[in-house]
Amino acid sequence: MRQIYEENGIIHYYGNLAGYITEDCAVIDAIFDKNDLRNFAMGELGKSVEVKDGISKRLSLEEGESKTGTDGRVRPGEMRLKTLGIQIFQLGKESPLEERFISLQKRQERGFKEPCKAEYDLVYEGEVERFDLEDIWERFARSVPKDFGGHALSISDVVVFTDGESERSFYLEQSGFTEIEFS
C-alpha cells in the first residue's frame, strides 16, 4: 500500500489523515508539512499547497448534517466531532515463538498466514478523539497505561480503529504501521 495517497478528496500520509483537496489547492496540516507530501500534492495532484494548523484533527471528525460540494466531497469545516474506538491485539500465548515480533514479510517467509483475530488476544479497548498512529505509539509503547493488559506495543501487534460503521487495522512493523485486513 502506498504511504502517501489521495482518496475521496482526503490526503493520507503514512496512515494519517493529513489534508484535503479543494478546487484550488491541497490543504495540509502543519504537522505534516514535509517535502515528500508537498511534492506529492504539487506533482501527482497538480495542486498548490496551503498549510494550516488543526487539519488532521478536523479530518478525524465525521460527517454531520454537512453539505457536500458539487464534486460529492464533504467539506471538512462542516463536520462534527466523533469518538473513535480503538482496540489493540497482541499474539496469544499459544502462538509459536517464531511468529512473534516479526514483520509481515518475515511472517510470509516463515510460512505463516496473514494475521487474523483468532490468533491474537485483545489487550486493550478504549476510545480516542482522533485517528493518530503516532499518538497511539507514544501512549502504548513508550509509557504503558495502567489499564493496558499486555506488554508495551511492539512489532507484530495490531491496532484497530473503528467508528461504529467501519474499521481500519494496522500491523506494527519495525518501520511503522502497515494497514492490513484483520478478521
Side-chain angles (χ1 to χ4, degrees):
M1 173 172 237
R2 294 176 52 192
Q3 298 301 321
I4 306 172
Y5 61 97
E6 182 267 343
E7 185 176 80
N8 296 323
I10 304 298
I11 300 171
H12 299 261
Y13 183 71
Y14 291 91
N16 295 286
L17 303 176
Y20 61 93
I21 305 298
T22 69
E23 288 182 44
D24 302 322
C25 66
V27 181
I28 61 173
D29 193 288
I31 63 173
F32 299 110
D33 187 14
K34 310 285 185 211
N35 285 338
D36 56 345
L37 184 55
R38 282 179 170 269
N39 291 339
F40 170 80
M42 292 185 289
E44 193 166 321
L45 301 177
K47 301 283 185 177
S48 62
V49 174
E50 182 178 339
V51 178
K52 292 185 178 180
D53 288 319
I55 298 300
S56 184
K57 185 171 184 170
R58 286 174 52 201
L59 290 173
S60 66
L61 306 172
E62 77 176 62
E63 297 175 31
E65 295 177 10
S66 61
K67 299 176 186 169
T68 55
T70 55
D71 58 2
R73 295 177 176 165
V74 175
R75 299 295 170 230
E78 300 177 12
M79 299 177 177
R80 61 184 162 82
L81 184 62
K82 75 171 180 179
T83 302
L84 293 172
I86 181 175
Q87 297 175 319
I88 297 177
F89 292 87
Q90 295 177 338
L91 283 165
K93 292 182 172 116
E94 304 79 32
S95 65
L97 291 175
E98 301 81 26
E99 185 178 22
R100 298 181 196 184
F101 310 110
I102 60 174
S103 68
L104 288 170
Q105 181 178 348
K106 280 283 187 209
R107 281 181 68 98
Q108 186 177 31
E109 288 172 8
R110 293 181 181 175
F112 294 108
K113 61 184 182 200
E114 294 295 315
C116 67
K117 286 184 182 175
E119 63 186 353
Y120 280 77
D121 293 334
L122 176 64
V123 296
Y124 181 81
E125 190 165 24
E127 294 182 344
V128 292
E129 289 185 10
R130 66 184 192 274
F131 175 89
D132 186 340
L133 289 166
E134 191 172 310
D135 182 55
I136 297 304
W137 171 256
E138 289 296 323
R139 283 182 57 195
F140 297 99
R142 300 209 184 273
S143 58
V144 179
K146 291 181 180 166
D147 61 343
F148 190 63
H151 56 76
L153 205 60
S154 57
I155 297 172
S156 76
D157 294 348
V158 177
V159 176
V160 178
F161 290 94
T162 181
D163 64 4
E165 296 173 19
S166 62
E167 65 180 38
R168 294 179 69 190
S169 304
F170 297 87
Y171 187 93
L172 181 54
E173 307 240 38
Q174 188 172 6
S175 60
F177 290 92
T178 299
E179 191 162 7
I180 62 169
E181 293 293 322
F182 189 65
S183 53

